[in-house]
Amino acid sequence: LAAPSAVQALSFSDNAEVSGPVVFAGYGLVVPEAQNFGYDSYQGLDVKDKVVVVFRYFPEDADTQTRATLARYSDLRYKAQAARQRGARALLVITGPRSPNAGEVVPMSFDTALAGSGLVAASASAAVAQALFAAVPARTLAQVQQEFDSGNPHVAGFALPDVTVTVKA
């Protein structure tokens, strides 16, 4: 059970409680096909009725052009929309150990948009992230993040085996 400071609702979260199996979707980025860029963190993942975990921000080690493109789609509300459109019930954002503000929860901020995101959305601390990824065989959270930090669109997300979470916002 996480301490209250370990999980923080995001400003656009729906008010609800949801439970489900967990799927990790890398940075949770989807670049529209019109951009001719070919980056979809959800490629090959079934997230319907599941809790999606994504890294905050965008790949740290990608080349300048890739970073610039991905940065445009890294807003948390956009990530929530991408998850919801694929049937996710909740989005849990973690700040990876290789990122700025490593391990910190996303601070609650004023959101000028009145509409919710259509799903429960929260941020979780490093301790929560470590607990979630404890089920990933033979890799630390930092190693998992490093694989995604290249910006290679073929690095695939994965289900977290035998992990179910409840998110209440």
Side-chain angles (χ1 to χ4, degrees), residues 60-137:
E60 301 295 325
D61 302 332
D63 63 74
T64 305
Q65 185 175 349
T66 299
R67 283 175 62 92
T69 300
L70 295 178
R72 290 202 296 266
Y73 301 99
S74 66
D75 180 77
L76 293 179
R77 190 179 266 278
Y78 190 85
K79 289 183 181 190
Q81 177 186 349
R84 182 183 50 82
Q85 286 172 342
R86 286 153 184 81
R89 298 191 64 209
L91 179 72
L92 199 55
V93 178
I94 58 175
T95 307
R98 305 180 80 240
S99 297
N101 307 304
E104 294 180 13
V105 295
V106 177
M108 178 61 81
S109 61
F110 181 70
D111 191 331
T112 55
L114 292 174
S117 56
L119 82 171
V120 173
S123 170
S125 70
V128 173
Q130 295 291 352
L132 288 172
F133 281 83
V136 178

Side-chain angles (χ1 to χ4, degrees), residues 6-93:
V7 179
Q8 167 76 52
L10 297 174
S11 59
F12 49 79
S13 177
D14 282 9
N15 293 324
E17 180 175 324
V18 298
S19 295
V22 180
V23 175
F24 171 64
Y27 279 92
L29 297 166
V30 178
V31 177
E33 287 181 27
Q35 297 290 321
N36 291 320
F37 190 74
Y39 195 102
D40 183 348
S41 294
Y42 293 92
Q43 184 77 37
L45 290 179
D46 172 15
V47 299
K48 185 164 176 36
D49 296 327
K50 298 188 173 120
V51 175
V52 173
V53 175
V54 299
F55 285 127
R56 187 176 175 189
Y57 306 120
F58 49 89
E60 301 295 325
D61 302 332
D63 63 74
T64 305
Q65 185 175 349
T66 299
R67 283 175 62 92
T69 300
L70 295 178
R72 290 202 296 266
Y73 301 99
S74 66
D75 180 77
L76 293 179
R77 190 179 266 278
Y78 190 85
K79 289 183 181 190
Q81 177 186 349
R84 182 183 50 82
Q85 286 172 342
R86 286 153 184 81
R89 298 191 64 209
L91 179 72
L92 199 55
V93 178

